[in-house]
Amino acid sequence: MNGDSPEALGALVQDIGDAGIAHMADTPGLAAAVDQHVASLRDELGAAGKQELLRYLHRFAEDAVNRGWWPENVRDWEFVRIVAVCWMMRQTA
């Protein structure tokens, strides 16, 4: 994250995941978009466990922020992708 701490990135991702998952309950369009990302991630990662998902999420978020992305829109691709991975992590026992 351009020199920022991994803890700061982790907190940002956790906030996005928590807010996005909560927002899905009232927003069918967001829930549908997350579902599409989950399907894509399952195709890409297979039956990934929690640690694999966490590593993917960290790399994805770090790359996105380093490209200049910042969470300003709950409908942008990166935001939805992060929410999808967080949702998958919650569903993984």
Side-chain angles (χ1 to χ4, degrees):
M1 229 171 78
N2 296 328
D4 291 342
S5 73
E7 293 83 15
L9 178 62
L12 174 67
V13 167
Q14 183 174 351
D15 288 349
I16 291 170
D18 291 345
I21 290 170
H23 194 54
M24 283 171 53
D26 299 328
T27 312
L30 177 59
V34 167
D35 188 50
Q36 290 176 341
H37 278 265
V38 167
S40 174
L41 285 160
R42 286 187 177 140
D43 286 345
E44 182 179 336
L45 303 174
K50 200 169 228 174
Q51 289 303 314
E52 291 171 290
L53 290 168
L54 187 59
R55 282 191 297 274
Y56 174 88
L57 182 59
H58 180 77
R59 280 191 317 270
F60 176 82
E62 187 172 50
D63 289 347
V65 170
N66 286 338
R67 284 193 321 271
W69 172 81
W70 195 249
E72 296 175 5
N73 180 346
V74 298
R75 296 299 178 117
D76 71 26
W77 194 89
E78 290 85 355
F79 183 93
V80 176
R81 189 65 156 205
I82 290 169
V83 173
V85 177
C86 291
W87 185 88
M88 290 174 72
M89 289 175 63
R90 287 185 181 190
Q91 302 305 310
T92 302

